[in-house]
Amino acid sequence: MKTDAIQKNFTDVYDGVIPKRVPIGAVLPLEFCIQYGGLDLGKTQWTLDGVYEATDRLCGELPLESAPLGTPRYPAYLTLLGAKTYVMGDSGFMQHPEVMGMEPEDYDDFIKSPRDFIIETVFPKLFTNWEKDSVSRALSFAGALLAHNDYQNKHAAIVKKLREKYTFYTPPIGSLGGVTAPFDYLADFLRGFTGITKDIKRCPEKIAEACDAVLPFLFEKGLPANPHKYGQTFMPLHMATYLRNKEFDKFYWPSFHRLVETLHDAGQPCYIFCEADWTRYLDYLLELPEGTRFCFEYGDPQTVKDKLGKKHILSGLYPVTYLKTATKQECVDKAKELIDIMAPGGNYIFNFDKNPFVMSDCNLDNYKAVLEYVAQNSNYANAGERSRPAETHSETKRVLALAETKYRNIGCSVPEGLENVIAPILTKYQDNIWAFMTKLL
């Protein structure tokens, strides 16, 4: 683990200690870096050629403290599967159209065995090459797996090279994950926005059962190989603000709450993006495990700080649109205003309400000026003091078993006497395949 000042500022916040300075969590995505380099967006997402050089120049210009590029979706493996879930548009951007992987009459089958239902029913609907004959399905899946691994390795090598050159915060290897809340999972991939809003009136009890049933799968999906207090599982929350309070309380909150708690008990903190305005749900968020990390899109900073700032780690709330419409001084003044509210007492990482997706989302000079201001003007006089009490771990752990499925481990015959040698090798490959299948939806 790196020991430079930036690294320690982040780990102090995660440990419940006031750092020497407010850390900067802003991240620039792959698309932004491609555009900055003057590269063709569609072509470069296929090859990643020139991405390191473009991002290297960008990192040399900006005082970033988190590695850019994020976790983009690679078009090759999605194309090989015939994916409907994410499609590259004419402009070169990967888009997530509304999809529907199951019908309302399928809830009982899904609740009975979510993992098997996804493989047998949802995959063929959302991946066109999965519904073909068995040989074509096997070939497209094998090609997609190879394409995914190739891309992942190339992307990881670029990020690693950037981290070696710049003083970015670097989490432990294998400690980053991503997952959605159970209700959002139903809305994103199984029923679609339109379908789930109808289901709330048509079959409300089935939604609640489905959210509970899919929890073990989502726990497995969100738990990385190396859970760690300095890593995190990113969880963007989509649908909650579209719900009425009583619908949120019944359908969204219980399974979401349990998912965050079980990941926490497994040693993995969640980094939750509260999309839209979560003001009416702040009391719920207060119940989540201490030190849970939040990035808020909208809301009153003082209200958020007063409600959650002594228990949780907060970020966001700086409107990225301001970087495009305001003067440089106005942008800096906005940063000062936000820091004056959010920084006292610690538990704060500076970030925008969302990352600028493309260069047209912000004025880069203003972006730089804001980050420079934070880096130079957010020191703490009481660094080293505790920002929240040291966490005490309960003896009672909320444990979720792995999602049941008949497909997890396919039996193989091995020579007698070599079981102890061969079994770990086969398990490694089977786990790699299963991990890829888990990522697909």
Side-chain angles (χ1 to χ4, degrees):
M1 182 65 69
K2 291 160 56 173
T3 58
D4 58 75
I6 288 175
Q7 190 79 12
K8 192 171 189 310
N9 284 338
F10 277 92
T11 57
D12 277 351
V13 172
Y14 297 153
D15 286 335
V17 173
I18 294 177
K20 288 187 176 181
R21 173 177 61 74
V22 170
I24 298 171
V27 174
L28 292 174
L30 173 65
E31 295 84 353
F32 190 102
C33 297
I34 290 173
Q35 287 193 334
Y36 176 82
L39 305 170
D40 181 89
L41 183 59
K43 176 182 176 182
T44 306
Q45 287 181 91
W46 281 84
T47 66
L48 296 183
D49 291 345
V51 168
Y52 172 77
E53 292 76 12
T55 310
D56 180 35
R57 292 198 303 273
L58 186 59
C59 292
E61 182 179 349
L62 302 173
L64 297 168
E65 296 184 357
S66 297
L69 301 182
T71 52
R73 295 174 180 88
Y74 185 38
Y77 83 85
L78 294 167
T79 301
L80 286 164
L81 290 170
K84 300 177 183 177
T85 49
Y86 296 99
V87 180
M88 182 178 285
D90 294 338
S91 61
F93 292 104
M94 298 299 293
Q95 301 169 344
H96 174 46
E98 183 175 11
V99 294
M100 189 177 296
M102 79 175 197
E103 303 300 325
E105 59 269 21
D106 292 333
Y107 270 106
D108 285 339
D109 290 336
F110 175 79
I111 291 165
K112 181 180 178 181
S113 180
R115 203 65 188 96
D116 291 348
F117 180 87
I118 290 168
I119 294 170
E120 296 168 355
T121 304
V122 180
F123 276 8
K125 288 187 176 182
L126 300 186
F127 303 119
T128 58
N129 289 336
W130 197 274
E131 62 181 345
K132 296 182 178 179
D133 62 89
S134 59
V135 174
S136 297
R137 178 166 60 249
L139 291 173
S140 66
F141 179 80
L145 176 60
L146 291 172
H148 175 270
N149 289 347
D150 282 348
Y151 169 80
Q152 195 172 46
N153 291 338
K154 190 170 184 179
H155 180 272
I158 294 172
V159 174
K160 182 175 183 290
K161 193 174 179 180
L162 290 168
R163 282 184 170 145
E164 289 171 349
K165 182 173 181 178
Y166 299 95
T167 53
F168 296 136
Y169 173 69
T170 302
I173 295 173
S175 66
L176 299 180
V179 73
T180 55
F183 188 94
D184 287 326
Y185 185 80
L186 294 179
D188 285 350
F189 299 112
L190 302 185
R191 294 293 295 128
F193 180 90
T194 303
I196 200 73
T197 52
K198 291 180 179 178
D199 293 347
I200 287 175
K201 297 179 175 60
R202 179 168 42 199
C203 50
E205 298 307 322
K206 296 298 182 185
I207 294 177
E209 289 182 58
C211 287
D212 287 339
V214 79
L215 258 175
F217 165 59
L218 294 178
F219 170 71
E220 182 179 353
K221 184 180 178 71
L223 190 69
N226 177 31
H228 199 284
K229 65 177 180 176
Y230 295 151
Q232 61 190 21
T233 290
F234 179 57
M235 189 182 300
L237 307 181
H238 304 306
M239 290 291 298
T241 55
Y242 292 99
L243 302 176
R244 293 177 292 181
N245 287 9
K246 65 179 183 180
E247 293 169 343
F248 175 87
D249 188 69
K250 181 176 182 179
F251 304 123
Y252 199 100
W253 173 249
S255 55
F256 162 57
H257 186 187
R258 190 176 174 206
L259 178 59
V260 176
E261 284 186 326
T262 50
L263 286 168
H264 172 266
D265 283 349
Q268 183 68 3
C270 287
Y271 174 47
I272 298 171
F273 176 56
C274 294
E275 186 178 294
D277 189 346
W278 271 67
T279 301
R280 60 190 166 116
Y281 300 137
L282 293 181
D283 286 331
Y284 288 90
L285 301 182
L286 191 60
E287 297 180 29
L288 294 177
E290 186 168 304
T292 298
R293 305 163 195 177
F294 293 95
C295 181
F296 288 92
E297 186 173 19
Y298 305 129
D300 174 59
Q302 191 66 64
T303 301
V304 174
K305 178 69 173 181
D306 290 345
K307 182 70 70 172
L308 303 177
K310 293 182 180 179
K311 182 176 182 180
H312 297 316
I313 298 169
L314 309 178
S315 66
L317 295 173
Y318 186 108
V320 74
T321 54
Y322 212 67
L323 300 174
K324 184 176 181 180
T325 61
T327 67
K328 182 181 295 187
Q329 188 58 51
E330 288 171 336
C331 290
V332 169
D333 290 344
K334 176 64 73 173
K336 180 182 186 303
E337 174 190 325
L338 188 62
I339 288 172
D340 287 347
I341 295 171
M342 302 297 290
N347 291 333
Y348 176 59
I349 296 174
F350 178 84
N351 207 343
F352 301 95
D353 60 354
K354 62 182 75 67
N355 294 316
F357 188 57
V358 293
M359 288 195 67
S360 60
D361 285 343
C362 73
N363 179 314
L364 197 59
D365 288 339
N366 291 348
Y367 187 90
K368 180 180 180 180
V370 167
L371 298 190
E372 287 179 340
Y373 176 84
V374 177
Q376 297 167 11
N377 296 276
S378 62
N379 293 326
Y380 285 96
N382 58 339
E385 295 181 4
R386 292 215 63 86
S387 59
R388 57 184 187 274
E391 185 175 358
T392 56
H393 293 279
S394 170
E395 294 296 324
T396 303
K397 297 292 186 181
R398 292 162 287 265
V399 178
L400 285 175
L402 295 180
E404 294 184 4
T405 173
K406 58 191 175 187
Y407 298 109
R408 184 180 299 277
N409 292 311
I410 306 300
C412 301
S413 59
V414 299
E416 188 175 349
L418 292 178
E419 294 88 351
N420 292 339
V421 174
I422 295 174
I425 297 172
L426 297 181
T427 298
K428 179 183 73 172
Y429 294 125
Q430 290 176 336
D431 286 348
N432 286 341
I433 292 173
W434 192 252
F436 177 60
M437 292 182 69
T438 302
K439 289 180 180 179
L440 288 180
L441 281 182

